[in-house]
Each structure stands twice: as structure tokens, then as C-alpha cells.
Amino acid sequence: MTAKKNRWHSGDTIVEVLIAITVLSMALGTGFAIVSQSNKGLQANKEQFQAQQLANQQVERLRASNAGGRDDFVGPNCLLNGTPIIVASGGSCSNMPMGGASIYTVDISCVSGATNGQTCDPAPAVGQTKTYSVLVTWENVKGAQSQLELQYAM
């Protein structure tokens, strides 16, 4: 008689199955959240790297064009690629493309050697250099404003 009883009760109950499904879905949900956070971190690193590349590009254009001889870097200014390299301002410095994304805004300004806080001294004293700031701003993957600044002395 006990053999018949075991034959009828050999399967899992619905409660056991529901508990197993709940545990499995919690584990999968946690794994998905970890992967999602990792992807956001990778995207933030990519944006930071692209901003660094854009700032380096602007510094190289500044150096190559001898734009340091100019005294009209009253922001926002940027250097557009071309022959000769063009000093642009305003809307041309927004939505600058880098790595397939056009989320970056560039502003080049003189931060030392300025005569009135607005423009660079066109003829600094002997041995004195002008220092330019290249500021790149963008809205990051988390929706916040991010900034990267490079300074370059000429």
C-alpha cells in the first residue's frame, strides 16, 4: 500500500515550481541590472575618450595654425578643419562630431596673458606665454553635464 502512495506523490508541487521560478527570475534580473550598469559605464568612458580626442584635436589645430597670434578668442570659439584652419564661433562650435556622436561643444579661450579679462594680449612681454583653455562640454549618458578642460601654452 505504501508503494501506491509514493507513486502518486512523486512530482513537484505547484508551490515548489513557483518558488523555483521566483528565485530564477530574481537571479536573471540581478544579472540584467549588472550588465546594464556595465554598459552605461562603458558608454561614459567612450564619451570621455572622445571628448579627450576632440580637445587634443583642437590643441593641435591651435598649434598648427599659429592661432596664438590672435587676440580675439572671446568664447565660444573653436577651430574647424580646413585650409587654412578656420576660427569659428557660436553655433559652429556646438554639436561637433567625434566618433559618430555630435554631442560635444568646444570653447577655446585665453586664460593668461589677457589684458582686460576678455582678450589675450596680442604682444605679450618677452618670455611670457599665452595659455589657452580648451573646454569640451557634453550631456553624458546619465543626462548630466560633463566637462573636460585642456590648457595649452604658446
Side-chain angles (χ1 to χ4, degrees):
M1 184 118 125
T2 58
K4 281 186 181 180
K5 218 178 197 185
N6 287 339
R7 187 172 50 129
W8 289 106
H9 296 296
S10 63
D12 295 328
T13 65
I14 190 74
V15 174
E16 292 171 332
V17 171
L18 288 175
I19 290 172
I21 289 173
T22 302
V23 169
L24 180 63
S25 62
M26 288 174 64
L28 289 175
T30 302
F32 178 76
I34 290 170
V35 168
S36 178
Q37 281 298 104
S38 177
N39 283 340
K40 283 183 182 178
L42 288 172
Q43 180 65 27
N45 285 342
K46 179 182 175 184
E47 289 173 357
Q48 181 79 20
F49 176 75
Q50 289 175 342
Q52 181 76 41
Q53 292 296 101
L54 184 59
N56 287 340
Q57 193 178 74
Q58 291 292 300
V59 166
E60 287 302 314
R61 288 180 183 163
L62 182 67
R63 187 178 65 81
S65 68
N66 195 20
R70 301 178 63 106
D71 62 353
D72 59 351
F73 274 99
V74 180
N77 291 290
C78 58
L79 298 169
L80 301 178
N81 200 8
T83 309
I85 293 175
I86 302 163
V87 177
S89 63
S92 300
C93 298
S94 297
N95 300 321
M96 297 204 54
M98 176 52 72
S102 295
I103 59 173
Y104 303 99
T105 301
V106 175
D107 179 19
I108 301 174
S109 58
C110 182
V111 294
S112 74
T115 54
N116 59 6
Q118 293 293 322
T119 60
C120 283
D121 184 0
V126 176
Q128 188 180 34
T129 60
K130 292 183 196 177
T131 302
Y132 290 90
S133 168
V134 178
L135 182 66
V136 180
T137 58
W138 71 97
E139 187 174 320
N140 64 27
V141 70
K142 297 176 183 173
Q145 193 80 4
S146 291
Q147 291 186 340
L148 178 128
E149 181 180 13
L150 289 181
Q151 291 194 351
Y152 180 69
M154 296 181 75

